[in-house]
Amino acid sequence: MLPGLKELSYKERLKKLELPTLAYRRIGGDMIEVYKMMNGRYDLDAEMQLPVNNNSARGHQKKLYKEQSKTKIRQSQFRLRVADTWNSLPE
């Protein structure tokens, strides 16, 4: 721990150190992993985990198909968690 930061809250520490939040860093890391999977940086088995939506007329060509999930646990799966964020990115 750095001196003088122990008494500060999490948000105050991040602001003082000029760091992004853990949630923001997690989203960035997820997008990097999706890019690697979509562009063949991993083996074929990993690429098959991300279903591509071939019927999209708008946006970029590599949109992901978002499956419906009824349970909260399933919504946190990688391929369901990243679909909306990936699809909202520009080409």
Side-chain angles (χ1 to χ4, degrees):
M1 204 80 205
L2 297 172
L5 295 180
K6 188 174 184 178
E7 302 82 27
L8 299 177
S9 69
Y10 174 70
K11 288 184 179 185
E12 292 170 339
R13 276 184 264 158
L14 289 177
K15 185 181 271 189
K16 187 165 185 154
L17 296 171
E18 298 177 4
L19 294 173
T21 63
L22 179 59
Y24 183 82
R25 294 190 330 240
R26 185 176 294 131
I27 291 169
D30 286 347
M31 294 303 103
I32 291 169
E33 293 303 313
V34 172
Y35 175 82
K36 288 178 185 179
M37 288 178 186
M38 299 292 284
N39 291 296
R41 306 284 189 231
Y42 290 123
D43 60 354
L44 294 176
D45 293 334
E47 290 179 32
M48 298 310 257
Q49 293 178 358
L50 298 175
V52 178
N53 186 1
N54 295 326
N55 298 330
S56 66
R58 298 182 183 187
H60 52 84
Q61 298 296 321
K62 295 186 176 185
K63 286 194 172 220
L64 298 176
Y65 176 73
K66 173 117 186 220
E67 300 172 14
Q68 298 296 322
S69 65
K70 294 181 181 178
T71 62
K72 195 75 167 171
I73 293 174
R74 189 156 185 263
Q75 289 175 355
S76 64
Q77 284 183 341
F78 180 75
R79 66 184 190 181
L80 297 176
R81 186 178 70 222
V82 300
D84 288 335
T85 307
W86 178 261
N87 291 342
S88 68
L89 294 174
E91 191 169 346

